[in-house]
Amino acid sequence: MSEIPPLDSLVRLLPLTTISDARGDLGVAEVKQLCGFSAERFYFLYGGLGARGGHAHRRLRQLMISLAGQVEITVDSGREKKTYILDSRKNGLEINPVVWRDIVLSPDAVLGVLASEPYDESEYIRDYETFRDVVSLHN
Ligand code: TYD
């Protein structure tokens, strides 16, 4: 069995492009170029009232961008944990498969998520013990 990859190789904070002129700002995420996957789906979380996430994905790759407010994302590789505060439209958080995440949005937050695949409940891992088993099988 090989080692669990470092968390920093599974989750990366990536700079987005901002184009500003007299009319305002324009943010760009060239998803394929930046993350190496094509976005099949866009969804967004808002109306933050409580903790979200609490799962990992078997296959899904994502790029998360805080479009408004503040979003706290704690990621866990099964060996290392790290909390990112997303409060800028200038960065996106890339999350690769088999990373557990817990997400807290401020009430005014809007979190945009670009996802590599259509929604498929069967590729979610919603139980932490199962996640630990998948991590050890995967590595
Ligand atoms: P879930 O992924 O559990 O939300 P979070 O991780 O933010 O807490 O999704 C909540 C519900 O929405 C769940 O019933 C699945 C459904 N859902 C879709 O139908 N399509 C989607 O693209 C997503 C992301 C969720």
Side-chain angles (χ1 to χ4, degrees), residues 11-87:
V11 180
R12 296 185 301 158
L13 196 62
L14 300 170
L16 305 181
T17 301
T18 306
I19 302 163
S20 302
D21 61 29
R23 298 166 298 171
D25 304 317
L26 187 158
V28 185
E30 289 283 358
V31 183
K32 185 74 183 279
Q33 199 180 305
L34 207 59
C35 305
F37 66 81
S38 295
E40 285 281 327
R41 175 167 52 118
F42 174 64
Y43 67 91
F44 43 100
L45 304 174
Y46 58 99
L49 290 175
R52 306 200 63 111
H55 62 253
H57 292 278
R58 291 174 192 272
R59 291 189 307 273
L60 195 70
R61 301 175 66 186
Q62 293 163 304
L63 178 65
M64 299 192 172
I65 303 168
S66 172
L67 300 174
Q70 179 174 295
V71 184
E72 190 183 292
I73 304 178
T74 300
V75 288
D76 175 357
S77 66
R79 190 183 65 178
E80 292 169 83
K81 266 192 195 188
K82 185 167 173 176
T83 298
Y84 290 87
I85 305 289
L86 297 188
D87 58 2

